[in-house]
Amino acid sequence: MTTTRLTRRGFGLLTAGGAAGLVLGAPAIVRAQTAVTFAVPNPSALTWLPYWVAVGEGYFGEEGLDLRLEAIDGSSAVLQAMSAGQAQIGAPGPGPTLGARSRGVDVKFLYNLYPKSVFGLLVKDESAYQTPADLKGTVIGVGTADGAEVSFTRAIMTDLGMAEGADYSFLPVGDGGTAAVAFLRDEVGSYAGAVSDAAILASRGLTLREITPEAYLGFFGNGIAMLESQMAATPDLAPKFGKALVRGMRFASDPANKEKALAHCAAGNPQEGEQDYAASLYDGVVFRMTPTEAFAAQGFGYQPPEHWQKIHDSAVASGALEAPLEDLSAVYTNDFVAGWNA
């Protein structure tokens, strides 16, 4: 089995659908009834934590589903595979989903897998910085000058009335070890990165604390989607898949199950399981997959309409969408959420 190391570029770009991946097959569940291909834009097993837990615990098999995971190159490729009938279900990012919908693709977002943004503003645990407002006059580290984390952070600072160059500046410092060096040398006071960055840096002895305002955690990441035509052809798939996924998420959320859940993920991607940051990354993924307190009662998978509106409006403002969608509510549905969480 081949995999790639999960870094800021690999994990963080999931939101924009740009994560690189390699084709990857998952062992089929024996004696299951319905063969299903699940397309994802990244080969990391931890990125799709509840899926691998559901596979390992037999939840999909109990639902009569024979799952095969295929990791391909980005959300656009996932959507193309779904449109071509090569995958019955997929995990694209919300941005590419909006773009596909604007082009007439009948894709619908069903499950909000990452209700909290995969990006965050990170500071050293002992730092005096408590909020982004405290970063005025400082240097903010980023992986690259054109990474998606730059626009994410710029939006936060702009809302605080601060301008890049006058009130703060960005410094590309890479990820992993090079980012740790920048912190240790005090070249940066904070770092804008993905959940994977905190895990990798922690494995190098650098404990980081997040100061991202909760409002910006609403720029959620990838989720589960299907074509409406596929939903009509296989009406039982979404209810069964989502139910197994929620069971996997509940299992993974219990600290007592961490080692077993990590073993399930290692079975899906053995090389990733050998990395020293896997346990820390696991904690970050669980946190990002857990709804904020405001929406916890809705259960796993819920998509706040106001968060979709923010993502939509941001896509229009940036030019990613040429024009507003006539009916944003057609892009997603929460109809299955109550049943999944029952």
Side-chain angles (χ1 to χ4, degrees), residues 21-308:
L22 301 174
V23 174
L24 176 69
I29 301 173
V30 296
R31 295 185 298 276
Q33 300 169 1
T34 304
V36 176
T37 297
F38 175 41
V40 301
N42 187 289
S44 164
L46 283 164
T47 301
W48 317 111
L49 170 64
Y51 168 84
W52 285 109
V53 171
V55 169
E57 290 296 308
Y59 299 152
F60 287 121
E62 291 175 14
E63 294 295 332
L65 299 178
D66 175 1
L67 264 295
R68 177 181 177 83
L69 182 146
E70 294 288 347
I72 49 183
D73 192 9
S75 288
S76 294
V78 167
L79 291 161
Q80 290 169 6
M82 294 165 62
S83 297
Q86 298 170 341
Q88 291 73 48
I89 196 162
T97 298
L98 287 170
R101 192 79 191 197
S102 72
R103 297 189 298 273
V105 179
D106 65 331
V107 62
K108 189 176 286 288
F109 223 77
L110 309 179
Y111 186 114
N112 186 357
L113 186 61
Y114 281 94
K116 297 170 186 163
S117 171
V118 295
F119 294 115
L121 268 175
L122 309 170
V123 300
K124 286 191 288 188
D125 190 50
E126 67 272 19
S127 169
Y129 304 133
Q130 299 297 321
T131 71
D134 297 332
L135 300 179
K136 186 172 183 178
T138 70
V139 177
I140 302 173
V142 292
T144 64
D146 60 352
E149 71 277 23
V150 173
S151 57
F152 172 81
T153 306
R154 188 181 289 127
I156 296 175
M157 304 303 275
T158 298
D159 286 350
L160 291 170
M162 287 190 269
E164 181 184 354
D167 300 302
Y168 68 94
S169 61
F170 289 120
L171 177 66
V173 295
D175 51 38
T178 58
V181 169
F183 261 120
L184 293 172
R185 292 179 177 174
D186 291 323
E187 295 174 357
V188 299
S190 60
Y191 184 76
V195 61
S196 56
D197 295 304
I200 294 170
L201 292 172
S203 74
R204 288 160 170 75
L206 187 64
T207 303
L208 301 182
R209 172 168 47 83
E210 185 172 355
I211 60 171
T212 310
E214 184 167 313
Y216 291 90
L217 294 177
F219 284 83
F220 58 84
N222 290 53
I224 308 305
M226 291 180 66
L227 300 185
E228 291 182 293
S229 53
Q230 182 69 57
M231 293 169 65
T234 54
D236 290 340
L237 179 54
K240 290 180 176 180
F241 187 95
K243 182 178 179 181
L245 206 66
V246 168
R247 290 181 68 190
M249 192 64 227
R250 286 174 172 165
F251 184 95
S253 298
D254 186 343
N257 297 327
K258 180 176 179 177
E259 292 305 316
K260 191 173 184 182
L262 277 168
H264 290 323
C265 289
N269 191 325
Q271 289 180 317
E272 182 184 55
E274 296 172 358
Q275 299 298 324
D276 56 3
Y277 57 79
S280 181
L281 178 54
Y282 178 97
D283 294 336
V285 167
V286 169
F287 173 75
R288 249 36 188 204
M289 288 184 172
T290 301
T292 59
E293 185 176 347
F295 301 103
Q298 301 288 349
F300 292 109
Y302 179 72
Q303 306 166 71
E306 56 267 46
H307 291 181
W308 264 112

